[in-house]
């Protein structure tokens, strides 16, 4: 005994009738298969373009919180490590997931990747402020020449290749799904 795939009535192998490669009850012979009839989806429904502004806003908010956390870690630890830029990526990913109540469409990884950049820039700026204050030994304004100099030294150390790697790690943290 098993249920008919079209109407869910119980049938056995003796009373079932083959139709379209499936064993169905005699009342369902010739009826269309509900699984084969799919609604036509437009590109907006498939990609989820109507949800992009909301997802982008959530991603940017999460990314900025991740950048603030990165700046806080830089202040507490007294370092300007770029590996903490992953916090901006994770914040963007979590922000996009929080903004969308369900997983809608295939555009969310691109939105997460775009949302990483403001948080990464904020975190890197805050690490430059911490580095400038450490060099100056006192109070330094947020937009002083010492901060710009520290930012240039941090970003272009090693020809900027290390900074590109940290940005790539932050983007991967925003895009890659770690569980199945």
């Amino acid at each position: 005994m098993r249920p008919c795939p079209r109407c869910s009535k119980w049938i056995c192998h003796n009373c079932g009738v083959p139709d379209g490669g499936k064993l169905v009850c005699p009342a369902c012979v010739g009826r269309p298969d509900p699984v084969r009839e799919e609604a036509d989806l437009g590109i907006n429904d498939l990609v989820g373009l109507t949800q992009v502004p909301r997802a982008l806003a959530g991603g940017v908010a999460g990314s900025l919180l991740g950048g603030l956390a990165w700046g806080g870690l830089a202040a507490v630890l007294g370092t300007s490590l770029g590996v903490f830029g992953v916090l901006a990526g994770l914040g963007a990913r979590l922000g996009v997931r929080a903004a969308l109540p369900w997983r809608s469409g295939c555009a969310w990884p691109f939105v997460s990747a775009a949302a990483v950049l403001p948080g990464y820039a904020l975190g890197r700026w805050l690490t430059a402020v911490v580095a400038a204050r450490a060099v100056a030994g006192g109070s330094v304004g947020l937009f002083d020449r010492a901060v710009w100099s520290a930012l240039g030294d941090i970003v272009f150390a090693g020809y900027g290749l290390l900074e590109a790697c940290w940005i790539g790690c932050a983007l991967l943290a925003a895009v890659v799904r770690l569980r199945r």
Side-chain angles (χ1 to χ4, degrees):
M1 297 288 295
R2 64 179 167 187
C4 173
R6 295 188 184 152
C7 68
S8 299
K9 291 181 186 174
W10 287 97
I11 58 173
C12 67
H13 68 279
N14 290 330
C15 63
V17 179
D19 184 40
K22 294 182 180 179
L23 195 60
V24 298
C25 68
C28 290
V29 174
R31 283 180 50 192
D33 193 0
V35 175
R36 287 190 187 171
E37 291 182 6
E38 296 177 359
D40 291 334
L41 292 175
I43 190 69
N44 287 342
D45 295 329
L46 180 66
V47 177
L49 291 178
T50 58
Q51 301 294 324
V52 168
R54 192 163 102 188
L56 188 61
V60 167
S63 173
L64 290 174
L65 288 175
L68 283 174
W70 179 16
L73 277 173
V76 168
L77 298 176
T79 184
S80 63
L81 287 175
V83 71
F84 293 127
V86 172
L87 293 173
L90 290 175
R93 177 170 172 74
L94 292 175
V96 168
R97 297 296 290 164
L100 297 177
W102 59 90
R103 189 175 194 175
S104 61
C106 59
W108 72 268
F110 300 110
V111 172
S112 294
V116 167
L117 299 178
Y120 190 88
L122 175 67
R124 183 46 83 191
W125 181 261
L126 292 176
T127 59
V129 169
V130 169
R133 286 185 180 175
V135 169
S139 178
V140 175
L142 288 177
F143 300 105
D144 285 347
R145 177 174 285 156
V147 175
W148 288 104
S149 175
L151 182 66
D153 292 343
I154 291 170
V155 170
F156 296 112
Y159 303 107
L161 291 176
L162 189 59
E163 193 68 25
C165 290
W166 297 137
I167 292 171
C169 288
L171 289 172
L172 279 175
V175 174
V176 174
R177 186 175 178 197
L178 297 177
R179 61 183 179 123
R180 292 185 183 250

